[in-house]
Amino acid sequence: MLFKKAVSTLMLSALCASLAAQADVKVGVITSSTGPIALVGIPQKNSIALMPTQAGGETIRYISLDDASDPTATVKAFKKLLDEENVDAIIGPSGSPNAMGVIQFAAESGTPMLAPVGTAAVVLPMNEQKKWVFKTTQNDELIAQALTEHMVENGVKTLGLVGTADPYGENWGKVMSELAAQNGIRIVANERFQRQDTSMTGQSLKIIAQRPDAVLVAAPGSSAVMPQTTLFDQGYKGQVYQTHGAALPAFLQLGGRKVEGTILAASLMLVIDEVPDDHPSKAVARQYIDAYTQLNGREPATFGANVYDAGLLLEQAIPSALEKGKPGTAEFRAALRDALEQTHELAATQGVYSMSPEDHSGFDERGRELITVKGGKWVLLK
């Protein structure tokens, strides 16, 4: 009798433990912490330890996988999280091509995907698949508008473009072509390159031959460096602009004096000490930077903050979703998607998020600052 009672007690305890485990909100995180875009993925992976672990009275459990910067590995990791881990949401992957390749799986499974990638193509144009995707970086057009306004104010009439031959560079080419035409700027050169290329001499010479007033480099992470340093080596003297894809410490370290004077529009994190204290995101960004630095011994790139912000978005959305379903169910995932879409005025490290059915990035002008490189440091452009 005592034996049966003991067994019953153990079974009840196991059942309770199992139910408790099922109640956890499970979030998959896919980063490229190794491979060609590791400079982007490493700070993202390192940020997981700083993300919220509780929301709506439930524990948030993160399951981290590395896709080694390989789109094929991204698909495998994504399917593993969906099929084996039954996650409620996925943050990642790090790369734009990688993200474009898994949108269909997020939609088919009805799982919200928070993409910390550069290209706006993951959420635009909005459709039945992309409605499951939310983007934690500024859309290209928001950044491009700030750069174009600066070009107009400084008399730029001709522009050379050079970008990666992937969704990031392609979407930037599209956005800048439209804005340039609207603002009387003529694009005289438009070159592409692969992230793994080891030489940019051919593309640079073609651009220089057209004598543009300025050049815009549209490339993410470390791939943003070589086009600009090659232009410098070939004697180009015009203004060079970069996108928010270049907003990482390694850009300054690898580029050195050859990237001095670069102008880009990016998150306030790069120049946080120069941003007014009343900026709604300053305190959040400062807290994240300090916590990351204490944990890792160095300040984070803004790419890490894109993953951290995804955690803040989920933290706010989870309580509402719990009213509609339990973690691990289709009802909960659908409610989580709906709640993310209703995010309003959430101050995070990159700016203020206000989502809508049409806008799954949600940034306004508070999500960008015009920045230049001066003395090997990021400086607010005044």
Side-chain angles (χ1 to χ4, degrees):
M1 185 71 177
L2 288 174
F3 176 75
K4 289 183 178 180
K5 186 175 181 180
V7 170
S8 297
T9 301
L10 287 172
M11 291 178 66
L12 180 61
S13 298
L15 177 61
C16 291
S18 175
L19 291 173
Q22 291 173 8
D24 289 355
V25 178
K26 297 169 70 174
V27 179
V29 187
I30 302 174
T31 60
S32 298
S33 47
T34 58
I37 56 174
L39 287 176
V40 173
I42 289 172
Q44 292 181 340
K45 182 180 180 181
N46 290 345
S47 296
I48 298 172
L50 305 174
M51 288 157 64
T53 57
Q54 297 280 336
E58 300 291 352
T59 298
I60 305 174
R61 183 158 67 91
Y62 300 98
I63 303 168
S64 176
L65 298 176
D66 173 24
D67 65 12
S69 306
D70 179 5
T72 301
T74 303
V75 172
K76 292 180 180 179
F78 209 90
K79 289 184 174 180
K80 176 181 174 65
L81 291 171
L82 294 175
D83 299 338
E84 298 180 24
E85 299 292 350
N86 192 34
V87 296
D88 298 297
I90 294 178
I91 300 172
S94 302
S96 293
N98 309 56
M100 293 298 292
V102 293
I103 291 174
Q104 66 182 93
F105 305 115
E108 289 169 1
S109 64
T111 305
M113 169 180 163
L114 294 95
V117 300
T119 182
V122 294
V123 292
L124 294 174
M126 184 56 65
N127 57 32
E128 281 301 305
Q129 286 195 339
K130 293 178 183 178
K131 76 176 187 180
W132 289 94
V133 184
F134 298 84
K135 182 170 175 284
T136 59
T137 66
Q138 302 85 342
N139 275 348
D140 304 337
E141 188 171 3
L142 181 69
I143 299 297
Q145 286 171 346
L147 298 180
T148 304
E149 288 169 8
H150 186 273
M151 292 177 192
V152 172
E153 290 170 1
N154 288 271
V156 173
K157 297 296 183 183
T158 55
L159 180 68
L161 295 179
V162 56
T164 47
D166 59 26
Y168 189 87
E170 290 162 7
N171 196 67
W172 261 96
K174 177 177 178 292
V175 169
M176 279 306 301
S177 294
E178 294 173 356
L179 284 174
Q182 294 168 14
N183 288 275
I185 298 172
R186 187 162 57 94
I187 295 178
V188 295
N190 194 344
E191 297 293 324
R192 292 286 181 269
F193 70 100
Q194 301 293 335
R195 297 189 191 196
Q196 66 270 25
D197 285 352
T198 57
S199 173
M200 290 288 298
T201 302
Q203 295 96 323
S204 297
L205 289 174
K206 289 179 182 178
I207 292 171
I208 292 172
Q210 299 302 315
R211 303 177 66 183
D213 297 329
V215 174
L216 171 65
V217 179
S222 58
S223 63
V225 178
M226 187 168 59
Q228 186 166 350
T229 56
T230 304
L231 284 167
F232 180 93
D233 291 339
Q234 297 295 331
Y236 181 69
K237 302 298 183 184
Q239 178 63 56
V240 178
Y241 292 89
Q242 288 272 358
T243 72
H244 52 324
L248 76 166
F251 178 79
L252 300 177
Q253 297 160 5
L254 296 171
R257 66 184 181 87
K258 297 180 182 181
V259 299
E260 191 77 4
T262 302
I263 294 173
L264 73 160
S267 142
L268 75 158
M269 274 182 57
L270 296 186
V271 290
I272 191 166
D273 292 333
E274 299 182 69
V275 174
D277 290 341
D278 61 357
H279 191 297
S281 290
K282 183 170 183 177
V284 184
R286 180 81 270 170
Q287 181 181 10
Y288 165 69
I289 292 170
D290 291 346
Y292 185 102
T293 304
Q294 182 176 359
L295 184 64
N296 298 285
R298 65 180 64 186
E299 290 191 356
T302 59
F303 302 111
N306 299 141
V307 164
Y308 181 79
D309 279 3
L312 298 183
L313 285 162
L314 287 171
E315 180 185 35
Q316 178 171 282
I318 286 169
S320 176
L322 287 168
E323 296 176 4
K324 305 290 179 60
K326 295 181 179 180
T329 66
E331 292 79 10
F332 178 75
R333 293 193 296 272
L336 190 59
R337 192 215 73 87
D338 293 345
L340 286 167
E341 194 171 78
Q342 295 163 18
T343 300
H344 181 67
E345 288 291 301
L346 174 65
T349 66
Q350 300 295 287
V352 180
Y353 293 88
S354 288
M355 306 285 191
S356 73
E358 297 76 28
D359 184 359
H360 277 201
S361 177
F363 287 103
D364 56 21
E365 288 76 8
R366 293 171 294 179
R368 70 183 188 201
E369 302 289 341
L370 267 178
I371 298 167
T372 188
V373 180
K374 185 176 182 180
K377 297 180 180 180
W378 304 115
V379 178
L380 193 63
L381 188 64
K382 300 175 181 178

